[in-house]
């Protein structure tokens, strides 16, 4: 007698079934028997692919083929739910566009300025002294520690418990990698020791040793997978796995060297903070040293450089940091890097190779960029096969010709640079490169603009505007890129495809894609390279971006001269997109109040103000915006600095300042949203006058402008 297992009923004999079931049920039971065999086969196949994909990092079939198998299994289980088993449930992390949640950093994660020559390192120390007004003989402690070549990570502990881990991302918003970080042994789940602050954000570098990297690559190759380029990439790839079981198998390490939000400071110096992190249970770099002069820093730099090869992990320089945290606070930041720290990098690595060809790429602003196509060569552990040649003049200046043997250089993350040709190896028939005067993408004339001062732009630009397919597709890529809308699953390849097929020609089309796909005969999911799951995820990712931070939205529009920093400045100043748009439109007249307002935003000068005005003056852009704003709502941004008592004011410092240097005063005022000017005019709001103030003070009195002392200034801004 036959026995059948039902998940909800247990074993049932076919005799028992016939006794209890209707003819319909009997027929269904027969079909179920057939389905069971099919299900077993499919489930086994899917399981094998899951193992290959997740545990061995080596998929055996394309995502589309996998999706098809999965769909068959799903539909079988939909018809016969009793067949579903835990093993046949969808694989974890299978969705290609499943995303990490975003984490907004309580304190931004900034980058470091670089220096290369010893004199530049000496200048860093001198600059710090000047800024602080420290006499030459006053002591100044600076720490030196290796710059680890990994990826930075911020770990948030509340009452000593690890609650969140985030990658750096764009410095303001990173990805939540908590589950993965919990698998790293060197990262404590719970902090130990005395005086652990209630909120304690420890930052540092996740890295992989050279030995572990080599072993991992060996496994990758054996599994038929492409190897990682270097230990840093493999550490990043390992940390950003959707399945933390994979991260757990990757040997990652961590050095603590910085911090974010702290409810209390365990020390008052950089060196003391690192010692505190060690006491809390972190690994800290043993080569960290406290120095007292530029000479000592350079000596330590040389010592670390000598040890570089035998350290076991990659480093690309030495980081110098002012030790006293009060001084760090006074020094503050310029743009996105601290004034109190700098990375002293090691010399770049060089190699020679052959220049096979020069390709011209057309960017979103129509710029024609020459790209050198090289015979692949390894420099600094990375295979390089192309490098930028920047522009026409650069090619002429270096006189590089197709067929030349050239020297290339690569330092850290920096894109490889072409230093120049090896003259003796030039082939007899090599001709100087003739830069094209027409756009390779659309055939329009490409010109070099001449500005008001008669200076010729270094860049040759296509005049085709949006007629040029290269420009419009590049604008779309920019709009979706990581620091703009950041639409997961809508990478360069997909955009190119959608653009070629006429599905997405302007940003708003991205957001109407789903609705149009519903009505279309040929669906996205049926296209090569897109399964049902990936299309579903793509639409979800698109919809998730219907609300987007204002600065990202502005950056995504790709106005000329409006990069990330200026986008953030505009967002902060205007708070809403409507406010920016209104001023941008009104600013087309160079003498308008609106133009003056744009001009007056700290860091935004004439060139940017004009570019913003030009953008809004262009009818086509207005149309694009109208359609786009039907789909997307840029989130208003709080104007951070408007709350300070001097925000928006124009201030002049004059006379001698006794409590801070002029440079420090300026930086402080700017941090609080004020504009610092060198001369007194009717537009000046406030003059801070120290002893010896002369004509500026007189002028201020003449115009009836408020004048205060340095002490009064400090009291005013203290709150
Ligand atoms: S300090 C505010 N110290 O370098 C300064 N950074 O170029 C915070 N890095 O994103 C950074 N080793 O990933 C600091 N000992 C070290 C470092 C280090 C590596 C990386 C870090 C950062 C990047 C900045």
């Amino acid at each position: 007698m036959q026995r059948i297992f039902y998940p909800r009923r247990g074993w049932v004999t076919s005799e028992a079934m016939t006794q209890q079931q209707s003819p319909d049920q009997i027929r269904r039971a027969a079909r179920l028997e057939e389905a069971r065999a099919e299900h077993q086969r499919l489930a086994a196949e899917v399981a094998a692919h899951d193992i290959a994909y997740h545990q061995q990092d080596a998929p055996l079939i394309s995502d589309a083929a996998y999706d098809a198998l999965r769909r068959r299994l799903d539909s079988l289980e939909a018809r016969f739910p009793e067949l579903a088993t835990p093993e046949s449930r969808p694989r974890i992390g299978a969705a290609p566009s499943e995303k990490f949640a975003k984490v907004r950093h309580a304190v931004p994660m900034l980058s470091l300025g670089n220096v290369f020559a010893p004199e530049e390192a000496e200048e860093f120390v001198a600059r710090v002294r000047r800024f602080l007004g420290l006499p030459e003989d006053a002591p100044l402690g600076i720490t030196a520690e290796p710059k680890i070549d990994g990826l930075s990570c911020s770990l948030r502990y509340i009452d000593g418990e690890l609650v969140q881990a985030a990658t750096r991302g764009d410095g303001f918003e990173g990805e939540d990698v908590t589950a993965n970080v919990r698998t790293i042994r060197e990262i404590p789940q719970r902090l130990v020791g005395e005086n652990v602050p209630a909120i304690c954000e420890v930052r540092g570098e996740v890295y992989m040793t050279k030995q572990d990297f080599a072993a991992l690559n060996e496994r990758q190759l054996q599994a038929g997978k492409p190897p990682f380029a270097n230990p840093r990439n493999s550490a990043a790839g390992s940390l950003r796995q959707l399945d933390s079981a994979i991260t757990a198998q990757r040997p990652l390490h961590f050095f603590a060297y910085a911090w974010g939000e702290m409810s209390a400071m365990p020390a008052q110096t950089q060196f003391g903070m690192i010692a505190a992190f060690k006491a809390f249970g972190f690994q800290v770099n043993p080569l960290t040293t406290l120095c007292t002069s530029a000479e000592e820093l350079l000596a330590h730099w040389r010592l670390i450089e000598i040890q570089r090869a035998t350290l076991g992990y990659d480093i690309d320089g030495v980081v110098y940091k002012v030790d006293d945290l009060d001084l760090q606070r006074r020094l503050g930041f310029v743009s996105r890097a601290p004034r109190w720290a700098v990375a002293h990098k090691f010399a770049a690595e060089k190699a020679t190779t052959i220049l096979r060809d020069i390709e011209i790429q057309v960017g979103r602003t129509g710029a024609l960029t020459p790209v050198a196509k090289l015979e692949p060569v390894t420099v600094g552990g990375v295979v390089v096969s192309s490098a930028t040649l920047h522009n026409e003049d650069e090619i002429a200046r270096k006189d590089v010709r197709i067929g030349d043997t050239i020297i290339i250089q690569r330092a850290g993350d920096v894109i490889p640079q072409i230093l120049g040709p090896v003259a003796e190896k030039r082939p007899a028939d090599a001709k100087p490169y003739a830069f094209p005067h027409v756009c390779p993408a659309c055939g329009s004339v490409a010109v070099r603009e001449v500005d008001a001062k008669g200076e010729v732009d270094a860049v040759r630009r296509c005049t085709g505007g949006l007629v040029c397919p290269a420009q419009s597709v590049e604008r779309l890529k920019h709009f979706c890129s990581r620091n703009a809308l950041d639409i997961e699953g809508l990478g360069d390849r997909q955009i190119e495809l959608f653009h070629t097929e006429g599905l997405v020609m302007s940003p708003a089309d991205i957001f109407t894609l789903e609705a149009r796909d519903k009505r279309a005969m040929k669906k996205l999911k049926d296209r090569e390279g897109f399964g049902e799951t990936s299309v579903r995820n793509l639409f979800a990712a698109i919809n998730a971006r219907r609300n987007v931070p204002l600065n990202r939205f502005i950056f995504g529009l790709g106005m000329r001269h409006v990069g990330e920093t200026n986008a953030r400045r505009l967002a902060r100043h205007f708070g809403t997109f409507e406010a920016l748009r209104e001023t941008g439109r009104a600013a087309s007249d160079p003498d308008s109040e609106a133009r003056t307002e744009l001009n007056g935003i700290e860091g935004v000068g004439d060139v940017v103000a004009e570019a913003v005005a030009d953008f809004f003056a262009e009818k086509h852009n207005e149309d694009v915006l109208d359609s786009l704003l039907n789909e997307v709502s840029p989130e208003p941004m709080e104007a951070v600095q408007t709350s300070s008592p001097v925000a928006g004011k124009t201030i002049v410092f004059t006379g001698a300042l006794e409590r801070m240097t002029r440079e420090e005063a300026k930086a402080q005022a700017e941090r609080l949203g004020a504009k610092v000017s060198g001369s007194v005019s009717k537009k000046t709001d406030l003059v801070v006058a120290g002893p010896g103030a002369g004509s500026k003070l007189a002028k201020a009195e003449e115009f009836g402008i408020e004048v205060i002392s340095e002490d009064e200034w400090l009291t005013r801004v203290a709150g």
Side-chain angles (χ1 to χ4, degrees), residues 108-114 144-153 168 203-206 232 255-259 270 274 285 288 314-321 328 333 336-338 340-343 345 413:
M109 290 181 81
L110 297 140
S111 55
L112 291 169
N114 290 330
E145 62 190 292
K147 184 168 189 297
I148 318 297
D149 207 2
L151 74 152
S152 50
C153 197
R168 177 171 181 269
R203 292 177 175 175
E205 204 83 352
V206 171
R232 190 173 63 89
F255 277 131
Y257 56 64
W259 57 94
Q270 178 74 33
I274 305 301
N285 196 287
T288 308
D314 274 345
I315 63 171
D316 58 352
V318 177
V319 185
Y320 304 146
K321 299 174 184 170
Q328 285 192 3
F333 298 84
R336 301 179 69 175
W340 47 264
V342 78
K345 303 291 273 284
D413 318 342

Side-chain angles (χ1 to χ4, degrees), residues 21-31:
Q21 293 177 328
S22 68
D24 264 3
Q25 284 173 319
I26 296 165
R27 272 194 293 278
R28 186 176 183 282
R31 284 204 304 274

Side-chain angles (χ1 to χ4, degrees), residues 645-661:
V646 294
K649 300 237 157 78
T650 302
I651 298 175
V652 174
F653 289 95
T654 179
L657 297 177
E658 287 162 338
R659 309 265 300 266
M660 54 189 168
T661 62

Side-chain angles (χ1 to χ4, degrees), residues 520-531:
M521 184 63 78
K522 185 177 175 195
K523 306 254 184 240
L524 272 188
K525 68 177 170 55
D526 301 325
R527 271 166 224 257
E528 178 68 35
F530 286 91

Side-chain angles (χ1 to χ4, degrees), residues 207-212 231 307-315:
Y207 67 97
M208 192 178 276
T209 65
K210 295 189 216 177
Q211 204 179 4
D212 287 336
Q307 296 185 54
R308 185 181 184 190
T310 51
L311 279 181
Y313 48 87
D314 274 345
I315 63 171

Side-chain angles (χ1 to χ4, degrees), residues 650-655 662 666 670 675-681 684 686-688 695-697 699:
T650 302
I651 298 175
V652 174
F653 289 95
T654 179
R662 186 67 67 81
K666 181 169 186 281
E670 285 173 353
K675 188 177 170 200
V676 178
S677 167
S679 58
V680 175
S681 74
T684 309
L686 184 66
V687 171
V688 181
S695 63
K696 288 183 194 170
L697 179 58
K699 217 167 178 187

Side-chain angles (χ1 to χ4, degrees), residues 575-588:
T576 64
F577 188 71
E578 291 70 39
L580 165 66
R581 194 176 187 184
E582 202 176 302
T583 307
R585 280 171 175 161
S588 60

